[in-house]
């Protein structure tokens, strides 16, 4: 994902200086210089599961879709049913090519007037190009507001108490999961969204880039008595893996389709034709592969690209692999032939060719981690 | 940062410290641990194992990657740091001290191609760009 960008100057997020001051190890990611961690991925992962973590994910792309034809355009563009979305709600979806290949996965927020789509940083340019191509014939406008938008995520069991202590909203529990609300946090006007990419309760706060520093500092300060610490992309990746969330560029891409990726729940053929709907109907009839999870031992760490075998035959490969600090085991997600995807099926991952190291484990229903009911 | 003048280094980012009486202690460098990120576990040889200079003697698995450990010296393992097996984060916290990996009785002299601290620093800097 960060191949080939070594000689290209990296974009800075608004909080670049703040990350460096906190000891953030900055790495190139999707064209941005981003904090990988501030000392320990393990410590940041566990803080999010047990207390709270603050992530800067301002590299994500925000795209407004407005105009009288906005809904018709989005209904054609994405696989999920945007017409079901009332103001104040959000949904997760993918947008596909006509062949069913995934252009990107995204969140769509419904506002009083229009919609905001949140896309992956590494796909923003491709997405904008694709969206403008698909606009023809629709009375709608697509506006990239990524550069002026900062996005901070407060995640973890203490997230609500922390954001509540800074918020103008009387009771944040009125904002349910996958809902959003405009209000103030630390005096900064924000879109408060009850969403995240960690498997914990929490909020994603969209603010003006000019207010990012004020919002960041206020949350760090108010969160510190609760045990909140800043968390980087490293912990974000191990947390999302435990939660079974797909990562674009790793688990899904233009060569994969949402049905094989186990994202059939965001594909709504009943809403009528959309880009890719015919191809997806054919894939649904005979899916070529299926997305699975496997939990290995504490000393068996799978990696992207490791082959998966059943008996002597290779039946698939790992797309995301790492160590899950909360489940205490090596975790793999990946694609296998559909007849091998039933939970309980024993499969083998080759962790190393020389000397040969393999790990056998049953296929598991995702996610690996589910937060305790509060 | 501890005084590393008594340490010698490999281009594969291990360090070796002469303990006298023909024995050395081996670990991985601060640069290596910082590149690897949080160490999850270590695969280390048993006491009595015989090592040859430049050959793989184990592996370190981090969040980011699995990486081979290559022996800076030839000889026999006389001790393994049981503390790092139980708490691999010691390798991140104190790579040149408490995070040592193995103690080796060396056969003959130390190999001549080991780097001193200054030479290793400039090598590691060039390596990370």
């Amino acid at each position: 994902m960060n191949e080939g960008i070594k000689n290209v100057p990296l974009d800075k997020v608004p909080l670049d200086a703040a990350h460096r001051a906190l000891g953030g190890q900055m790495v190139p990611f999707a064209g941005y210089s981003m904090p990988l961690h501030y000392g320990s991925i393990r410590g940041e992962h566990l803080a999010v599961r047990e207390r709270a973590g603050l992530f800067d994910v301002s590299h994500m792309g925000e795209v407004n879709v407005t105009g009288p034809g906005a809904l018709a355009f989005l209904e054609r563009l994405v696989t999920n049913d945007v017409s079901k979305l009332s103001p104040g709600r959000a949904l997760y979806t993918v947008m596909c090519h006509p062949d069913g290949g995934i252009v990107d996965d995204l969140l769509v927020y419904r506002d009083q007037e229009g919609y905001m789509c949140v896309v992956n940083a590494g796909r923003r340019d491709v997405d904008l190009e694709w969206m403008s191509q698909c606009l023809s014939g629709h009375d709608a406008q697509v506006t990239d507001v990524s550069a002026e938008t900062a996005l901070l995520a407060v995640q973890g069991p203490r997230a609500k108490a922390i954001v509540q202590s800074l918020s103008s909203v009387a009771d944040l529990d009125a904002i349910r999961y996958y809902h959003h609300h405009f209000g103030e946090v630390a005096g900064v006007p924000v879109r408060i969204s009850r969403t995240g990419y960690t498997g914990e309760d929490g909020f994603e706060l969209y603010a003006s880039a000019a207010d990012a520093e004020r919002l960041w500092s206020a949350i760090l300060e108010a969160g510190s008595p609760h045990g909140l610490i800043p968390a980087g992309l490293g912990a974000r990746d191990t947390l999302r893996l435990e939660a079974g969330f797909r990562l674009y560029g790793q688990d899904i891409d233009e060569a994969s389709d949402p049905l094989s990726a186990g994202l059939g729940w965001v594909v709504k053929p009943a809403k009528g034709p959309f880009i890719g709907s015919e191809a997806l109907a054919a894939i649904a009839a005979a899916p070529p592969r299926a997305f699975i999870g496997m939990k290995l031992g504490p000393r068996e760490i799978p990696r992207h690209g490791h082959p998966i075998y059943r008996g002597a035959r290779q039946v698939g490969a790992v797309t995301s692999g790492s160590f899950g600090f909360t489940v205490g085991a090596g975790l793999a997600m990946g694609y296998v032939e559909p007849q091998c995807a039933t939970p309980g099926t024993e499969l083998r991952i080759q962790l190393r060719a020389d000397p040969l190291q393999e790990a056998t484990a049953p296929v598991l229903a995702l996610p690996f981690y589910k937060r305790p009911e509060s | 940062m501890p005084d590393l003048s008594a340490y010698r280094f490999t281009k594969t980012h291990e360090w070796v410290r002469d303990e006298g009486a023909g024995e050395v202690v081996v670990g991985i460098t601060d640069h290596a641990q910082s590149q690897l990120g949080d160490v999850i576990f270590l695969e280390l040889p048993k006491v009595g194992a015989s090592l040859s200079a430049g050959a793989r003697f184990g592996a370190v698995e981090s969040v980011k990657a699995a990486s081979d450990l290559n022996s800076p010296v030839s000889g026999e393992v006389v001790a393994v740091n049981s503390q790092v097996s139980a708490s691999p984060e010691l390798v991140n916290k104190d790579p040149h001290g408490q995070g040592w990996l193995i103690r080796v009785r060396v056969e003959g002299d130390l190999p001549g191609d080991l780097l001193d601290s200054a030479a290793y620093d400039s090598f590691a800097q060039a390596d990370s760009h």
Side-chain angles (χ1 to χ4, degrees), chain A residues 40-42 299 303 352, chain B residues 38-39 41-42 61-63:
Chain A
S40 164
I41 293 175
R42 181 198 314 259
R299 291 173 68 93
R303 310 283 181 189
R352 194 186 167 106
Chain B
D38 295 50
V39 174
F41 69 83
L42 295 142
E61 284 262 8
S62 73
V63 184

Side-chain angles (χ1 to χ4, degrees), chain A residues 219-248:
Chain A
I219 296 169
L220 274 187
E221 197 183 320
S224 149
H226 295 271
L228 171 141
I229 58 171
L233 291 183
R236 187 169 154 86
D237 192 50
T238 54
L239 288 159
R240 71 94 194 165
L241 177 60
E242 284 186 337
F245 295 136
R246 281 58 160 176
L247 174 62
Y248 196 94

